Amino acid sequence: MPSVLTHLFLCFLVAAMSTGCQKTPEAWNSSKPFKTQIVVGSATGLQFQIVELEGVQNQKTLEGEVVEFYLAPGEQNSELVGPHAVAKFIQNSEGVFIPTNSLSLQMVSLYYHMQALKKLEIQSLGKTFVKWPRKIGLQVKTNSAETRFNNAFYNNKLDVMFFVPYVDQELPLPLNGGIIAHEHFHSYFSYSILQKSLASDVLPIEDYFLKSINEGLADVWGWIYSDNPDFISLSLPDLAGPRKLEQPSFFRKPVLKTKKDMESDLNLVEQECKRLSWCNSADQLTLGLAYSNGTALARTLKDFLTRQNLTQEDKAKKIFLLLEQLNSLNLKKELDFESLLVEWAGLFDSLSDESCKILKNAIKTEEIKNQICLSF
Amino acid sequence: MSKFLIFLILFSARISLGAITLWPAVYSLRTDRDEFQNTQFQSAQQFSLALQIQSWSLEFGRTEFDSSSEEGNIFIKEKYEDSILWLGYHFKLLEELDLVTSGGIGTYQEKITTTVGLISNRSESEQEMLTGIAGELRWKPFDLGFLLSSGIRVLMAENFDPNPQPEFFVRAGWMF
């Protein structure tokens, strides 16, 4: 009997060892890039891509040099509070970490795009502009019915990018590189412009003007990063029409608002807000107009920058220059998209006839229009 | 191949030694964590085959379950499979009731199918090692060969979350 038991025990060992003898990929540690699979969307469609995430220190939370992820975070005493999001992977035979759920896929995609945006920032400026790692909240819960789903926003008080749950049937926002770049740009605007404007009393018209520029430049940044003028429609197809940066030639007409136009807008929204029972402040209606103004500005800039035949890095450098220029303006005196465009055109060493034509076409006021490309 | 080897060894041993037990009807709930870190229970399909010699038993068990996650046009399906060899000792509590304690070693594999819109991609992990301990109450009424049991297993592996992972099961089988 003992020899039978010994025989059985040996069989047990053989069986156990035979199931264990497989080639295993090399164990990952934080000194190596984190190889993973993401999904990239472009004008031509979606595709899987194996990428390397650099500076990852924790395989579960993906904490590292680029991003810190939070799951459904909140705010307490002006601080971000909440647990870190946790990612789950399997590792295939080539050592690539494959996300096993939707949240993990969103985390690696976001890390990848933020990594690329950080590189673009350093290439353009020679140094970082905002504080890294960036903080990102996922599956964020909001009280507002309008922003509860299918949205992303930057909170300048907390310096955090938030993504709410996505319930549509298209590409979720955390996988959309253009939208990530758009939201990330708001941090640039906050660091350079809003800090200055928040320090002093800002009139409603200045606030409206700045919101419009913020949204417009963010759309341009989204286009520069993704190389897709229609990046928004990958996730939000209903917004394709109003926010697409490609405009047919017959739509190219003076689109930028003057100071008078903006004052008229603000009067209208004040009256409208009084009429609507749910409206507590005209600001709630101003934002919609700011998006519209921003798109007009973005389309003009996109056309203009395309004609300049610049690389991605050079386009990015120009946008940072525009921000710097905006920062130096006296908003109480120079509060006009048209005159802003003239200021920005002056930042370019040379402008083609086509470029000058694009800028002139966007401007209504004749005397301002005549200032464009005077020196060329 | 290795699983076939185990089966052959068990079957050849049966001819001259103890009793074989088949467990075709198993209901098991394994604890897992979803992407929001909430504990959830996974119902798994299981099949087991065991050889008992006096107070010892050697059991081969196979478990499979699927889970999925989706948002927007992302759909990720995970298929989990494990094979575990258990060595158990039976403590006779009553004539018809045994307490079985076991230790197990085996491997598991996960297969992921990621679908985003119209594109799809399949990946699988290598076979990863896992170990476990189990405690089970086994009832064999009227010496008819029919068996009922209920128990708990605790499984451990480097990449499990949670780790260890408890599993509760109820099963019916037949002893030959």
Side-chain angles (χ1 to χ4, degrees):
Chain A
M1 196 57 76
S3 63
V4 167
L5 283 174
T6 308
H7 166 75
L8 277 170
F9 181 67
L10 286 171
C11 291
F12 172 84
L13 269 183
V14 166
M17 283 164 60
S18 68
T19 57
C21 289
Q22 303 279 344
K23 173 177 160 265
T24 49
E26 214 179 298
W28 176 82
N29 62 64
S30 59
S31 66
K32 300 178 192 168
F34 186 86
K35 244 163 69 168
T36 185
Q37 177 179 270
I38 66 168
V39 172
V40 175
S42 70
T44 53
L46 301 173
Q47 57 183 27
F48 290 101
Q49 207 172 308
I50 305 295
V51 297
E52 287 187 354
L53 306 184
E54 294 159 12
V56 173
Q57 279 142 27
N58 186 307
Q59 181 184 319
K60 285 190 172 170
T61 62
L62 296 185
E63 262 183 284
E65 296 169 1
V66 176
V67 188
E68 283 176 15
F69 290 106
Y70 294 84
L71 185 65
E75 182 187 341
Q76 207 171 54
N77 301 327
S78 305
E79 294 278 332
L80 186 73
V81 292
H84 284 290
V86 174
K88 274 175 145 177
F89 304 95
I90 63 163
Q91 196 178 11
N92 69 12
S93 55
E94 277 118 50
V96 177
F97 288 93
I98 307 294
T100 63
N101 57 41
S102 164
L103 182 73
S104 306
L105 180 57
Q106 291 175 35
M107 286 169 72
V108 292
S109 298
L110 268 163
Y111 195 108
Y112 170 75
H113 288 298
M114 294 304 293
Q115 175 178 283
L117 286 163
K118 185 181 179 185
K119 281 189 180 151
L120 184 61
E121 180 180 310
I122 295 172
Q123 275 166 4
S124 310
L125 296 170
K127 56 176 182 165
T128 56
F129 188 73
V130 293
K131 193 173 146 194
W132 296 87
R134 305 299 297 152
K135 291 183 181 171
I136 295 182
L138 293 168
Q139 302 296 318
V140 173
K141 294 173 185 150
T142 69
N143 294 326
S144 159
E146 283 132 15
T147 58
R148 195 178 299 160
F149 300 120
N150 305 342
N151 214 332
F153 45 93
Y154 170 72
N155 182 306
N156 60 324
K157 195 170 80 172
L158 297 173
D159 192 20
V160 178
M161 204 188 298
F162 289 123
F163 289 85
V164 298
Y166 182 80
V167 299
D168 214 336
Q169 298 304 311
E170 306 297 330
L171 189 71
L173 273 66
L175 270 71
N176 188 319
I179 287 180
I180 295 166
H182 171 108
E183 295 306 329
H184 182 59
F185 181 85
H186 289 319
S187 66
Y188 295 152
F189 201 85
S190 172
Y191 272 60
S192 55
I193 309 296
L194 291 182
Q195 299 307 319
K196 173 183 155 186
S197 63
L198 284 170
S200 58
D201 290 328
V202 174
L203 296 173
I205 193 164
E206 290 165 22
D207 183 58
Y208 176 36
F209 184 53
L210 288 173
K211 266 186 189 145
S212 303
I213 297 175
N214 196 355
E215 292 304 330
L217 289 181
D219 272 354
V220 174
W221 195 257
W223 161 66
I224 289 173
Y225 173 71
S226 66
D227 198 26
N228 180 3
D230 197 20
F231 63 86
I232 289 180
S233 70
L234 290 177
S235 301
L236 304 167
D238 290 347
L239 291 181
R243 300 283 295 276
K244 196 171 169 179
L245 296 195
E246 281 290 342
Q247 51 179 348
S249 53
F250 56 83
F251 275 142
R252 285 181 189 143
K253 53 180 182 169
V255 289
L256 298 179
K257 286 185 177 166
T258 61
K259 186 174 174 182
K260 224 176 184 175
D261 292 330
M262 288 195 286
E263 282 165 350
S264 169
D265 282 346
L266 287 179
N267 285 333
L268 274 169
V269 298
E270 279 284 350
Q271 286 164 32
E272 188 66 12
C273 186
K274 283 173 188 165
R275 201 181 63 78
L276 294 166
S277 57
W278 53 263
C279 184
N280 300 318
S281 154
D283 276 353
Q284 291 172 266
L285 302 176
T286 312
L287 188 58
L289 288 173
Y291 277 117
S292 172
N293 298 338
T295 301
L297 180 66
R299 284 171 176 167
T300 306
L301 285 176
K302 182 255 170 195
D303 273 351
F304 169 72
L305 287 171
T306 304
R307 293 297 179 280
Q308 292 298 104
N309 287 317
L310 302 170
T311 62
Q312 185 193 53
E313 187 186 317
D314 286 335
K315 284 177 198 160
K317 279 180 182 165
K318 288 299 178 199
I319 297 299
F320 278 116
L321 271 179
L322 301 193
L323 269 184
E324 203 182 304
Q325 177 73 330
L326 186 64
N327 207 14
S328 68
L329 293 178
N330 180 351
L331 288 180
K332 293 192 191 321
K333 195 175 143 197
E334 299 159 63
L335 199 64
D336 196 290
F337 288 106
E338 294 184 332
S339 41
L340 187 65
L341 212 59
V342 172
E343 295 283 343
W344 284 350
L347 295 173
F348 289 80
D349 296 329
S350 65
L351 295 176
S352 62
D353 288 344
E354 191 63 35
S355 301
C356 293
K357 197 173 162 187
I358 287 165
L359 295 178
K360 284 178 192 268
N361 280 346
I363 293 169
K364 283 187 279 194
T365 311
E366 279 304 316
E367 59 185 47
I368 296 178
K369 195 192 289 241
N370 294 335
Q371 291 174 35
I372 293 283
C373 299
L374 265 183
S375 52
F376 302 116
Chain B
M1 178 61 196
S2 54
K3 295 157 188 69
F4 183 59
L5 179 72
I6 296 159
F7 176 75
L8 267 186
I9 291 164
L10 286 174
F11 191 70
S12 59
R14 155 77 186 103
I15 294 167
S16 55
L17 295 171
I20 281 190
T21 306
L22 203 63
W23 297 100
V26 185
Y27 179 74
S28 76
L29 281 178
R30 192 175 288 193
T31 56
D32 193 4
R33 259 207 272 266
D34 67 13
E35 52 209 75
F36 305 105
Q37 298 301 292
N38 300 318
T39 300
Q40 60 179 11
F41 292 98
Q42 283 287 355
S43 171
Q45 295 89 48
Q46 280 188 351
F47 170 80
S48 298
L49 180 67
L51 171 70
Q52 186 177 345
I53 303 165
Q54 296 187 348
S55 298
W56 291 91
S57 62
L58 194 63
E59 178 176 318
F60 171 75
R62 183 152 173 89
T63 300
E64 291 180 6
F65 62 82
D66 293 342
S67 60
S68 65
S69 162
E70 58 184 304
E71 185 162 338
N73 64 357
I74 303 173
F75 181 74
I76 299 179
K77 185 176 163 188
E78 179 179 353
K79 187 175 184 66
Y80 171 95
E81 299 165 346
D82 74 35
S83 303
I84 307 177
L85 203 58
W86 298 93
L87 181 65
Y89 189 83
H90 297 234
F91 297 92
K92 204 152 212 47
L93 300 178
L94 295 168
E95 190 58 42
E96 297 170 345
L97 191 67
D98 284 358
L99 169 67
V100 185
T101 59
S102 314
I105 188 166
T107 60
Y108 75 96
Q109 186 182 41
E110 289 164 297
K111 294 173 183 171
I112 304 291
T113 305
T114 308
T115 305
V116 183
L118 297 174
I119 61 170
S120 198
N121 183 286
R122 272 199 73 206
S123 304
E124 54 185 52
S125 69
E126 295 296 298
Q127 293 283 350
E128 305 277 354
M129 187 80 83
L130 67 85
T131 55
I133 53 174
E136 179 187 358
L137 275 175
R138 198 174 287 189
W139 182 47
K140 190 177 165 211
F142 314 118
D143 206 24
L144 289 171
F146 174 71
L147 290 169
L148 264 180
S149 89
S150 176
I152 182 168
R153 297 187 187 112
V154 177
L155 303 167
M156 293 150 281
E158 194 184 334
N159 293 321
F160 273 2
D161 181 32
N163 187 33
Q165 219 166 70
E167 179 186 276
F168 309 94
F169 64 92
V170 174
R171 58 183 180 172
W174 197 270
M175 181 182 270
F176 298 93

